[in-house]
Amino acid sequence: MATTTSIIVLLKFFASRQKSAVVDYTDFCDYLKRYSEHHLEEQPSLSFYLEDPVPALQTELDKLIDSKLIIIVNTSAEKQGIIVIPFYIERFAERYKDIAVNPALPFPSEADLPKGTPKEVVQRHNAAELLSKLLEKQELNDKILYGIALPHDAPSILLPSNVSVITLVEDAIGKIQNMLKKDDHHDYFLKKLTVSNPGREMVTKNFFNAFVDRPDHSIETLSQTTENFYLWNQLCFFIKQDYEKIKDFTQEDLSCLQAIYITEVAANYFKNRAQENAKKEGAIKMLESLLLQPPYYFTFEEITKFTDTKGIPLLGQYSEDELKEYLHKKTQEAPVQELPDLLVFKTYDEQRYFIFKSKVLQLILRLCTDARVSVQEAIKSHWMEVLKAFDFLPEMRDQNAFEERLEKEVRIQSPILSALLHSSFLPLLSYDAAGGDDTSKISLFVNGQLLPYSDILLMSRQELLTDAKILLPFWYSMPIISWIMRMILRPPKAKRAKKRKTKAELYREEEASKSKDDEAAALLANNSNVSKKVALREAARVAEQSFVPATSTMNRELDSYESQWNQLLGKEAHNNLTEDVNSLIRDYIRKTLRTIKMDGFTKERIHSLAESLVNSPGLQKIKDKDALLMYVQLYMVKLVKNIPM
């Protein structure tokens, strides 16, 4: 069976040979039969059209009718005709080529169609909707003849689907330029434009002359939101204002008015697109600035929940596909022999995180300081329990076993640090010139191997064991008594292996218990003041989840960020500075709580309050603003969470 494409091609050829879009049904059947006989060897499928071509042809024509490529009409009582719409499309496409050479030629309109042409030949659309759609995305083909309906009952314009909408806009601008080249119009509209821009006469004149004399740059003027864009809108307004007052239009007047309507629609589209692009670029910049703020590492789900300074989600100002494209570009593109700006690492639970390479070493330093305390406490308390039970562990005596224990404990206490230390990019980061300010000062590798965990955490096995023994009762150091107690108190091996909860897990359980107690207190008190305090405390607990990782605690995070922004060496001076900052935060939050609503203590609100405080004169001398901002937010959450009932 011949394809639909071959039949439409034959119809277009037959119509062009007859120089008419209306093809006689019987004549085309005869032509198809002769064509099939002549080309049967090349296309055996044409055998369907040799004897009686009507049944096979009708099947193909029905498909073309459904595709709106042809229309069947009765040309007389006994004859049927086939209107080949692509014939009109090709014919009017030639008109646009002529207009590009001679702007004085009118746009094609429905009046150019032969009398009696069915209305279905033209697909009519509103100018603003159609042009915006085609400017966004246009597929060039010979299937549709658009009818562009214009305002104020101006004659509609025919646009073949094989003509680019940019060609239409350029032709419209060309008509305006052609009109402005005439002396009377040139001086008249130049005067109106300069009078409406006092003090900027030279700029206005330069724009006007450049627009009239340089048609090759006209589309750039229309599509760029520069100072010229404002002048261009003014010029269009003045021309439209004058032409709409005309009562008896000449063909030239109508063409110019049509051109103004077309260019206005295009200008509005480019203006809106420029605004959307500016909004999108601003959102991307905000996204990048948030990725560069503590805690520096984020999952994709967390990134999709980023908001701007007004609390409006960034996802929406750009699409999810655009976000993925940005992240992919940042994680893949890089100069030769350098790492990309954005790096990806996975924790042991297969959670993916994004982090800027300039923040990797800074984060590792903070996490090492943080993990040192938690790991040391966890091992010390465990060793003390083992020693109390008169037992001993290999890690207490063997350095390799101790290193394995440290690695395991870091994985539990600080999974992010563990993932970073085992990431594939960390060895390369020390060779990357753009790796950050601390790259030349810190080396985590020796001969291509990661330093032992005891060196990274600055932890000594002997000192840790000594500290654990010191915490034991004194009689553990007395051989005879300790031997007797060992025989009595040492538990069976089955009871020695006990899974220990981390401090973070215990902290979460304690907070959950406090939350239940608050709810019970609010129900018993039946007091609006108590209810508000309970609501604020609960809101603070919810906000805490955004600031404190699940593997950490509030106090641990506070201490970690305090060590970053408070770098005074003297203990007394260090403590005094911390207390001054804390006092400032307490006073500020005390005043804020008087007016804040029960549901107003959100993450965005906390960030806004903390940012205002960090930028206040009292805290201007503190250099590390990012760490200070995180500390202030955490301390605010802690204060509200502990409001006395």
Side-chain angles (χ1 to χ4, degrees):
M1 177 69 70
T3 63
T4 303
T5 303
S6 64
I7 293 299
I8 192 62
V9 169
L10 292 175
L11 279 169
K12 286 193 292 183
F13 175 76
F14 194 71
S16 63
R17 195 172 67 175
Q18 291 189 340
K19 297 182 179 180
S20 172
V22 183
V23 174
D24 185 87
Y25 192 99
T26 304
D27 291 345
F28 182 71
C29 285
D30 294 339
Y31 167 75
L32 181 59
K33 187 175 181 180
R34 293 194 305 273
Y35 179 87
S36 301
E37 291 172 352
H38 189 266
H39 296 279
L40 184 61
E41 292 183 4
E42 301 171 16
Q43 301 180 51
S45 58
L46 292 173
S47 60
F48 290 98
Y49 303 112
L50 290 177
E51 295 182 4
D52 184 9
V54 174
L57 176 61
Q58 189 59 48
T59 302
E60 295 300 318
L61 293 181
D62 289 340
K63 295 177 183 179
L64 293 172
I65 291 170
D66 293 338
S67 302
K68 297 182 179 181
L69 290 173
I70 65 169
I71 297 174
I72 303 294
V73 295
N74 293 322
T75 55
S76 66
E78 299 177 354
K79 289 188 176 184
Q80 277 189 326
I82 305 170
I83 297 180
V84 185
I85 295 176
F87 175 84
Y88 290 125
I89 293 173
E90 292 180 358
R91 173 184 167 188
F92 290 121
E94 291 297 322
R95 173 77 69 85
Y96 279 92
K97 293 179 182 178
D98 296 337
I99 293 173
V101 178
N102 182 10
L105 292 174
F107 286 116
S109 66
E110 292 190 38
D112 296 322
L113 292 169
K115 289 182 179 181
T117 302
K119 293 182 178 180
E120 293 80 3
V121 168
V122 180
Q123 293 189 20
R124 294 163 184 82
H125 297 272
N126 175 271
E129 294 176 0
L130 178 63
L131 295 186
S132 298
K133 176 185 174 182
L134 295 180
L135 284 168
E136 191 69 37
K137 184 180 180 181
Q138 181 181 13
E139 181 182 349
L140 297 177
N141 53 54
D142 60 352
K143 297 180 179 180
I144 304 172
L145 185 62
Y146 294 111
I148 304 175
L150 300 173
H152 298 284
D153 297 325
S156 61
I157 296 174
L158 295 180
L159 177 68
S161 58
N162 61 350
V163 174
S164 169
V165 68
I166 294 296
T167 300
L168 172 65
V169 175
E170 288 176 340
D171 287 348
I173 296 173
K175 288 182 177 294
I176 298 171
Q177 290 169 327
N178 188 56
M179 180 270 293
L180 291 175
K181 286 178 181 178
K182 298 178 180 178
D183 292 340
D184 51 344
H185 291 94
H186 182 282
D187 297 339
Y188 173 72
F189 285 111
L190 175 58
K191 184 178 180 181
K192 290 195 74 169
L193 198 61
T194 52
V195 169
S196 63
N197 292 277
R200 302 173 62 239
E201 289 80 2
M202 187 57 67
V203 174
T204 304
K205 187 175 180 180
N206 290 338
F207 156 75
F208 187 87
N209 291 331
F211 171 72
V212 173
D213 298 334
R214 298 190 64 188
D216 53 323
H217 286 266
S218 56
I219 199 69
E220 293 180 17
T221 303
L222 193 66
S223 60
Q224 293 177 357
T225 54
T226 60
E227 185 180 29
N228 290 345
F229 188 81
Y230 169 75
L231 295 172
W232 164 249
N233 275 340
Q234 270 194 323
L235 179 60
C236 283
F237 173 77
F238 291 143
I239 297 173
K240 183 177 72 171
Q241 190 180 47
D242 278 32
Y243 272 84
E244 284 180 347
K245 294 177 183 177
I246 299 174
K247 293 183 179 179
D248 296 325
F249 287 102
T250 65
Q251 183 58 58
E252 185 180 355
D253 295 335
L254 284 174
S255 291
C256 195
L257 194 57
Q258 288 174 321
I260 283 294
Y261 289 143
I262 292 295
T263 51
E264 271 196 326
V265 170
N268 286 330
Y269 168 80
F270 287 123
K271 179 183 178 182
N272 293 335
R273 191 177 70 173
Q275 289 175 343
E276 289 175 4
N277 289 340
K279 186 178 180 181
K280 192 183 301 179
E281 288 174 6
I284 292 293
K285 287 181 180 178
M286 175 61 69
L287 167 66
E288 192 163 318
S289 68
L290 291 173
L291 288 171
L292 288 167
Q293 291 179 11
Y296 305 130
Y297 58 95
F298 304 92
T299 63
F300 180 77
E301 289 72 23
E302 291 171 336
I303 293 173
T304 58
K305 295 176 182 177
F306 281 174
T307 59
D308 59 18
T309 53
K310 297 179 181 178
I312 301 172
L314 294 180
L315 189 61
Q317 299 178 45
Y318 48 68
S319 66
E320 186 170 334
D321 289 338
E322 288 169 335
L323 173 60
K324 289 179 179 178
E325 183 182 352
Y326 166 81
L327 295 175
H328 181 267
K329 182 179 178 181
K330 281 289 185 180
T331 54
Q332 298 296 324
E333 296 182 4
V336 179
Q337 296 183 345
E338 286 189 18
L339 290 169
D341 290 336
L342 198 63
L343 304 174
V344 182
F345 66 93
K346 282 186 179 181
T347 53
Y348 288 93
D349 59 357
E350 295 299 314
Q351 184 67 268
R352 294 173 74 246
Y353 289 90
F354 295 89
I355 182 172
F356 268 95
K357 69 179 179 182
S358 59
K359 298 297 181 181
V360 172
L361 292 174
Q362 184 178 345
L363 177 61
I364 289 177
L365 284 175
R366 183 175 75 81
L367 293 178
C368 282
T369 305
D370 183 18
R372 184 178 187 278
V373 177
S374 57
V375 169
Q376 191 173 24
E377 289 179 358
I379 294 178
K380 188 191 297 182
S381 61
H382 180 219
W383 282 8
M384 190 178 70
E385 291 173 7
V386 172
L387 292 172
K388 262 188 177 181
F390 299 98
D391 204 353
F392 222 77
L393 297 173
E395 63 202 47
M396 296 178 181
R397 295 175 179 171
D398 182 61
Q399 185 64 28
N400 290 333
F402 179 65
E403 296 293 344
E404 291 177 4
R405 173 60 191 276
L406 286 178
E407 182 177 355
K408 181 181 178 181
E409 202 64 44
V410 167
R411 188 184 303 179
I412 296 170
Q413 301 292 341
S414 185
I416 300 298
L417 175 60
S418 180
L420 285 171
L421 292 176
H422 288 89
S423 63
S424 58
F425 57 76
L426 190 60
L428 302 173
L429 195 61
S430 57
Y431 299 105
D432 191 343
D437 296 336
D438 299 318
T439 306
S440 59
K441 302 176 185 178
I442 300 170
S443 178
L444 296 171
F445 292 85
V446 175
N447 298 326
Q449 297 293 321
L450 184 68
L451 288 172
Y453 275 78
S454 56
D455 291 342
I456 294 174
L457 299 176
L458 302 177
M459 201 174 297
S460 169
R461 175 176 55 84
Q462 292 83 357
E463 291 179 3
L464 198 57
L465 182 58
T466 301
D467 292 342
K469 288 180 177 179
I470 290 174
L471 296 174
L472 297 173
F474 74 94
W475 45 266
Y476 273 80
S477 60
M478 301 175 67
I480 297 176
I481 297 177
S482 63
W483 181 82
I484 295 172
M485 296 301 294
R486 178 180 181 183
M487 299 297 295
I488 299 171
L489 299 177
R490 188 178 185 185
K493 284 188 177 181
K495 293 185 179 180
R496 293 180 206 168
K498 183 181 178 182
K499 186 178 179 181
R500 295 170 296 108
K501 292 183 178 180
T502 64
K503 278 198 171 184
E505 291 172 334
L506 295 172
Y507 176 75
R508 296 286 179 275
E509 291 176 0
E510 184 182 354
E511 288 301 313
S513 176
K514 287 181 180 179
S515 180
K516 290 180 181 178
D517 292 343
D518 283 350
E519 290 178 9
L523 291 172
L524 292 172
N526 196 20
N527 183 296
S528 60
N529 190 36
V530 173
S531 297
K532 180 180 179 180
K533 289 181 178 179
V534 170
L536 286 172
R537 286 167 64 144
E538 192 59 35
R541 290 191 182 97
V542 172
E544 182 183 3
Q545 297 173 11
S546 302
F547 297 113
V548 180
T551 56
S552 186
T553 64
M554 171 66 78
N555 289 334
R556 188 189 298 176
E557 291 297 304
L558 281 168
D559 292 341
S560 178
Y561 286 111
E562 181 195 339
S563 65
Q564 283 186 264
W565 64 262
N566 189 349
Q567 298 180 358
L568 296 182
L569 297 179
K571 184 177 181 181
E572 185 177 351
H574 182 98
N575 293 339
N576 287 340
L577 178 58
T578 301
E579 183 54 34
D580 289 343
V581 172
N582 290 347
S583 298
L584 192 62
I585 301 171
R586 286 195 296 268
D587 293 341
Y588 186 71
I589 205 70
R590 192 180 295 116
K591 294 175 184 177
T592 305
L593 288 178
R594 294 173 186 169
T595 56
I596 198 167
K597 296 180 181 179
M598 288 189 291
D599 58 347
F601 198 70
T602 61
K603 178 186 174 183
E604 290 76 22
R605 179 64 171 156
I606 295 166
H607 180 81
S608 177
L609 293 172
E611 202 167 36
S612 299
L613 190 57
V614 167
N615 294 326
S616 64
L619 298 177
Q620 285 299 307
K621 292 184 179 180
I622 297 177
K623 295 180 180 179
D624 195 338
K625 297 296 182 184
D626 288 343
L628 179 61
L629 180 65
M630 281 298 296
Y631 180 85
V632 172
Q633 291 178 114
L634 288 165
Y635 198 73
M636 283 181 173
V637 171
K638 182 179 180 179
L639 290 173
V640 175
K641 196 175 64 171
N642 295 317
I643 294 175
M645 299 294 287

